[in-house]
Amino acid sequence: MNILFRGGRVFTAKGDFAESVLVRDGVIAAVGAERELSAQAPGHETVDLDGGLLTPGFTDAHMHPVQAGLERARCDLSERYGLDEYLDAVRAYADAHPDRAWIDGGGWDMSAFPGGLPRREQLDFLDRPAYLIQRDHHAAWVNGRALERAGIGKDTPDPADGRIERDPDGTPTGVLHEGAMDLVGLLTPRPTAADLDAALMDAQAHLFTLGITGWQDAIVGSYAGSDDQLPAYLSAARSGRLRARVVGALWWDRTRGLDQIDDLLSRRASAEGLDRFAATSIKIMQDGITENFTAATLEPYCRCGGTGLSYVDPAKLKEYVAELDRLGFQVHVHAIGERAVREALDGFAGTDPANRHHIAHLQIIEPSDVPRFAELGVTANLQPLWATHHLQMDELTLPFLGEPRSSWQYPFADLLRHGTRFCAGSDWPVSNADPLQGMHVAVNRTEPGGSVHAGYPTAQTPFLPEQRVDLATAMTAYTAGSAWINRSPAGQIEPGRPADLVVLDRDPFALPDKDIWTTRVRMTFVDGEAVYEKA
């Protein structure tokens, strides 16, 4: 299809703007002045930007779309907030699905509960076991029937990589953290191949409405009760139903070592030659999260002590990363606490920057480690939406981090000053997949309007405002930066690149910063073909 985009501005993700873009046969043919391109486009279809902005398609560098699609089809709590709303949703789901042996799903927010912890008794009205994954997928809320089904009681030991939340007498309360989730999660009904396929297709359709034309799936494998998504991706890519450009980060089983390398090589090879999917990245989860004190810290948490968990021994991590690097894999590390970030950076020392290794989340970085990203050629994979004064931050994080550690969080501007390369993502379904919401937070360090925390008293107080970045930097991270991480040919608007493009309903660069979040996607194109158009 041949298209002339005109009537607005074009963000090229190359450090400049343009007036117009000409697309021929799914490829960007020319970028320049509207008058010149119009003369080259007799008979072309015209898309009037109507004062809006044309951008490259967004690429999300860290998300879990298949899991999100599954949760959207189950008991989905992600659009609700508070115990009463959660229980209303659970009751409605149970009533609507009397034939289902389990009530499973997820999306609950820790901040909705005292101390961040729901209880089994709140779900004990159900006549079936319940397994509901926390919004960030680091815990599960279960009822008494589920605990009984799994044989979990006072004497059940905690797994090495997780914790069973307990009352003072040892009785399980109904929350399973990290690796303990599998004690129940693996007993839930397994999704069929058709379920996984439908979840992927539903997720892709939703992401197109947000302008996302590519992503890196941050866990392709079996983890926390979820099933391996690789067959779904392979099937969709081979049939042509996968239109987005996707890289799968193959899950590194932290209970194993180098013995799993052959399996990973085989899994990578299974996707070779596919146009839309590659399994070229490896995901290593080095720690947990701050809210349940499993994020790995250098000094103990305030009030509760402990320094979190390093899921992979740091010496072994360096050995594993070196071998993966030698084999040409990209390594994608989850690191939340400052010790985990340091361990990941130490692991990347001496690796080949051409493999495009990256660390995701980066909630806390000890200041002396900030320059090491650029020095080692490690990309910072940002999830900007979390860098605000939301309820979970103020009540479940700041009191336990203390100073100066609280001020080391999400240091985007410091990383940028040292020349760090950025990519960006959402961690969907952990948080909203909308890149424009993430850009709003990166620029403002406040909650976007309409978010679940937008009415919280400090939501519009900037969180560490000295760490703001400008909109061009944030948008480049979601376009050129994340496309680069994925080795995608898209991500910039220049001749010869695929016409993966997004039409925004307004130009966010012309808005006050506080209104960036109001921008919406009007149209999304992949290879010059509209895959979404707002009704």
Side-chain angles (χ1 to χ4, degrees), residues 57-133:
F58 303 131
T59 298
D60 190 303
H62 185 109
M63 61 169 18
H64 309 277
V66 179
Q67 186 62 33
L70 288 172
E71 289 182 15
R72 284 158 59 92
R74 297 174 179 171
C75 185
D76 184 9
L77 306 179
S78 63
E79 298 301 318
R80 298 170 177 265
Y81 186 76
L83 177 61
D84 289 344
E85 289 197 26
Y86 293 155
L87 295 184
D88 286 347
V90 170
R91 288 189 187 94
Y93 182 84
D95 290 345
H97 300 91
D99 56 327
R100 298 204 174 173
W102 285 70
I103 303 300
D104 59 347
W108 56 274
D109 194 315
M110 290 182 73
S111 66
F113 299 96
L117 299 170
R119 292 189 60 87
R120 66 183 188 280
E121 296 92 346
Q122 294 159 333
L123 295 173
D124 278 346
F125 66 89
L126 292 166
D127 60 355
R128 287 161 272 175
Y131 178 80
L132 300 171
I133 299 172

Side-chain angles (χ1 to χ4, degrees), residues 257-494:
L258 292 175
D259 61 297
Q260 64 190 290
I261 291 286
D262 285 346
D263 293 341
L264 296 171
L265 288 169
S266 176
R267 287 164 68 77
R268 179 172 70 178
S270 70
E272 288 178 359
L274 295 177
D275 180 46
R276 297 288 158 162
F277 179 75
T280 50
S281 190
I282 301 293
K283 168 66 175 299
I284 298 178
M285 186 173 288
Q286 187 57 14
D287 69 343
I289 58 173
T290 58
E291 293 85 356
N292 66 10
F293 317 122
T294 56
T297 58
L298 293 169
E299 299 294 335
Y301 287 92
C302 304
R303 303 186 187 180
C304 63
T307 57
L309 301 174
S310 291
Y311 290 135
V312 180
D313 176 88
K316 291 290 186 182
L317 177 66
K318 189 169 183 63
E319 177 186 0
Y320 301 157
V321 169
E323 180 62 9
L324 292 168
D325 179 72
R326 186 187 70 80
L327 293 168
F329 281 107
Q330 175 188 91
V331 180
H332 177 163
V333 177
H334 162 118
I336 293 280
E338 73 273 19
R339 188 178 84 238
V341 172
R342 179 169 293 178
E343 290 167 351
L345 289 169
D346 290 346
F348 285 129
T351 58
D352 185 354
N355 286 326
R356 308 188 186 192
H357 305 307
H358 48 125
I359 305 176
H361 308 323
L362 303 167
Q363 181 169 347
I364 312 167
I365 308 178
E366 200 279 328
S368 68
D369 286 322
V370 169
R372 299 181 66 201
F373 284 82
E375 292 166 2
L376 296 172
V378 175
T379 298
N381 188 332
L382 312 179
Q383 282 64 61
L385 203 60
W386 305 345
T388 71
H389 276 292
H390 50 271
L391 192 62
Q392 193 162 306
M393 172 64 74
D394 286 0
E395 296 194 359
L396 301 178
T397 301
L398 294 178
F400 300 96
L401 293 184
E403 292 296 346
R405 189 164 49 197
S406 289
S407 66
W408 299 345
Q409 295 188 82
Y410 306 114
F412 303 158
D414 287 348
L415 287 163
L416 186 65
R417 278 191 288 272
H418 284 280
T420 304
R421 184 187 286 270
F422 285 171
C423 62
S426 63
D427 209 5
W428 186 57
V430 172
S431 48
N432 192 324
D434 187 350
L436 291 158
Q437 307 294 296
M439 293 177 210
H440 177 95
V441 174
V443 173
N444 291 281
R445 307 283 287 207
T446 59
E447 283 290 304
S451 77
V452 70
H453 296 291
Y456 180 62
T458 61
Q460 301 309 315
T461 299
F463 180 71
L464 302 175
E466 67 276 12
Q467 298 299 341
R468 293 168 167 146
V469 296
D470 61 51
L471 180 56
T473 296
M475 190 172 285
T476 300
Y478 279 99
T479 52
S482 293
W484 183 86
I485 276 292
N486 269 11
R487 299 184 185 273
S488 168
Q492 297 182 52
I493 296 180
E494 65 179 2

Side-chain angles (χ1 to χ4, degrees), residues 194-227:
D195 292 335
L196 292 168
D197 182 81
L200 175 56
M201 291 298 98
D202 174 66
Q204 178 176 249
H206 175 67
L207 295 172
F208 284 159
T209 73
L210 302 175
I212 296 170
T213 58
W215 63 79
Q216 184 158 146
D217 190 315
I219 298 179
V220 175
S222 300
Y223 164 73
S226 66
D227 286 57

